[in-house]
Amino acid sequence: MNDQKQILEQYLKAKFSDKTALSITRLDKLADGWESDNHLLTVEYGDFPRTREDWVWRIYSGAGSQAKAAREFHSMERLLGAGYPVPHVFLLETEHSPVERPFIIMEFIPGEVLWDLLGKAPADRQGKLIDQFCQLFVQLHALDWKQFDDSLPGDKPFFFIDRWLDEARGALQNFPEVDASPFLEWVAARRDLFACARPSPVHQDFHPGNILISANGSAKVIDWTNFAVTDPRFDIAWTLVLAHAYGWPQMHAQILQGYQRHAGKLVEQIEVFEAIACARRLFDLTVSLTHGAQHMGMNAQATEAMRVNMEAHRRVYRLFVERTGLQSDIFKNLFGEPYL
């Protein structure tokens, strides 16, 4: 760690030349994500009294790590500019990393992860926290999508489902052992149900583990490697599927009801989007468990984390079967019969 600290300190001195006499006073490991290694980085700089700041050093792993680093950095810049609560980002490094992996430096947010708070809060407090979560979700989807990608058509309601089908077919060519053709045909046959009235900025992994709550109750949303502009129901469905898999039975309904209340409208045809979210989750799991998580742009530890949550994966498979009526031999082999 000392060698790494020295290398990083020299790098930061060159990058932040305006912060005179910069030094690293602490470099501690934080909990890793499935796509990154994270460190708490305390720096001091300037004349007496010296300025002290806590940063996060987020180092990316797996396939496409440079693109992920750049996507997260630029997305957070734009989100902050649009008034959305994310940490400040200070530096992006993709080409000349002193640790030979791309990384970003961003603001450290002291606080607790929302998942942890939900696990120990009394029922009335849980309800308020889930309501805050839903407000943040609706606030994201209400942002002007043209601030993030004005090249997308706003008047072609089937653009996003057609793009999803094209991307899914392309990705699956690399994994011929996963026969997804019945599901792709299922989606194509229901194309009319996927018409998008208004695209939105989306997180694509919006769950309580990616929300930090400060002592004053304010929230920040983290982990933007999958940021995009698309039909917001892709985002909502993914969150609902994760809640179904890892939460408790009522959380799925609480999130959907809270989202609709704050949005002031119903989320239409969410079941077909949940089918897509289930398929995405099962595909990620299948490839990671059979080929290694690095093939999905995650670090090696993600595979072991997946293996300890097999019951959650079985719940996703059961929901997939409920939503589509389709079963898969490869999913059965990994996750068992859906109704056992």
Side-chain angles (χ1 to χ4, degrees):
M1 182 65 78
N2 285 336
D3 289 344
Q4 190 178 55
K5 179 179 175 181
Q6 291 175 359
I7 291 169
L8 182 61
E9 186 173 89
Q10 291 303 312
Y11 172 88
L12 294 177
K13 284 180 176 179
K15 286 292 183 180
F16 294 104
S17 57
D18 59 319
K19 302 184 188 303
T20 57
L22 183 147
S23 64
I24 297 175
T25 60
R26 181 172 59 167
L27 183 61
D28 293 338
K29 199 82 164 61
L30 296 172
D32 293 334
W34 282 13
E35 300 178 307
S36 64
D37 302 331
N38 303 303
H39 298 77
L40 171 60
L41 175 66
T42 300
V43 298
E44 293 184 357
Y45 57 88
D47 299 325
F48 183 83
R50 286 167 64 76
T51 300
R52 178 178 176 176
E53 294 180 3
D54 287 333
W55 298 345
V56 172
W57 182 28
R58 184 163 160 83
I59 313 168
Y60 297 84
S61 304
S65 57
Q66 288 186 328
K68 283 189 298 188
R71 184 185 307 114
E72 181 158 41
F73 182 87
H74 295 305
S75 299
M76 291 174 71
E77 275 191 321
R78 295 189 185 101
L79 286 160
L80 196 64
Y84 196 73
V86 299
H88 286 79
V89 286
F90 305 129
L91 185 145
L92 166 67
E93 179 57 79
T94 58
E95 298 292 337
H96 306 290
S97 170
V99 293
E100 299 181 351
R101 290 164 57 193
F103 62 82
I104 66 173
I105 302 285
M106 65 183 186
E107 174 188 15
F108 174 76
I109 304 297
E112 286 195 75
V113 176
L114 180 54
W115 261 132
D116 296 338
L117 285 174
L118 287 169
K120 62 187 181 184
D124 60 337
R125 175 64 173 151
Q126 286 177 358
K128 291 177 181 177
L129 289 169
I130 292 174
D131 190 69
Q132 183 179 14
F133 175 86
C134 295
Q135 281 184 294
L136 285 168
F137 212 6
V138 171
Q139 181 184 350
L140 171 63
H141 295 160
L143 295 175
D144 181 4
W145 61 273
K146 293 181 181 178
Q147 294 183 49
F148 301 92
D149 190 347
D150 61 3
S151 68
L152 297 170
D155 58 350
K156 295 183 178 179
F158 298 104
F159 172 83
F160 295 102
I161 188 59
D162 290 341
R163 183 177 69 176
W164 182 88
L165 279 166
D166 287 343
E167 290 175 351
R169 291 179 181 120
L172 287 163
Q173 287 180 355
N174 298 317
F175 303 98
E177 70 277 17
V178 181
D179 181 13
S181 56
F183 177 64
L184 296 179
E185 292 169 5
W186 185 92
V187 173
R190 290 158 180 79
R191 179 175 178 268
D192 289 351
L193 302 179
F194 291 92
C196 176
R198 178 189 177 276
S200 296
V202 298
H203 185 283
Q204 298 199 100
D205 200 21
F206 199 94
H207 60 72
N210 283 329
I211 313 291
L212 297 175
I213 306 294
S214 298
N216 64 4
S218 63
K220 300 281 186 181
V221 184
I222 60 172
D223 196 1
W224 293 92
T225 57
N226 292 311
F227 178 87
V229 174
T230 187
D231 189 318
R233 290 171 295 178
F234 284 112
D235 214 13
I236 300 165
W238 180 256
T239 298
L240 293 176
V241 167
L242 292 183
H244 180 83
Y246 295 100
W248 44 89
Q250 71 270 27
M251 182 178 274
H252 179 286
Q254 284 179 300
I255 291 174
L256 182 57
Q257 290 166 7
Y259 185 97
Q260 291 178 145
R261 184 173 64 254
H262 287 291
K265 59 183 179 181
L266 296 177
V267 179
E268 298 181 349
Q269 307 295 349
I270 191 61
E271 292 84 2
V272 292
F273 284 88
E274 284 185 341
I276 284 182
C278 288
R280 170 188 162 193
R281 183 65 172 168
L282 293 170
F283 172 75
D284 289 352
L285 291 166
T286 298
V287 173
S288 297
L289 293 171
T290 57
H291 294 277
Q294 296 93 325
H295 288 272
M296 300 306 299
M298 293 177 268
N299 58 37
Q301 290 76 20
T303 302
E304 290 309 309
M306 292 174 186
R307 292 190 190 282
V308 301
N309 284 302
M310 294 303 288
E311 182 53 40
H313 310 334
R314 280 189 279 271
R315 286 195 286 269
V316 175
Y317 183 39
R318 285 195 291 269
L319 183 61
F320 173 79
V321 175
E322 289 173 16
R323 292 289 183 261
T324 66
L326 302 173
Q327 297 193 36
S328 160
D329 288 340
I330 193 168
F331 293 162
K332 285 182 187 178
N333 290 338
L334 283 170
F335 312 120
E337 290 285 346
Y339 296 114
L340 292 181

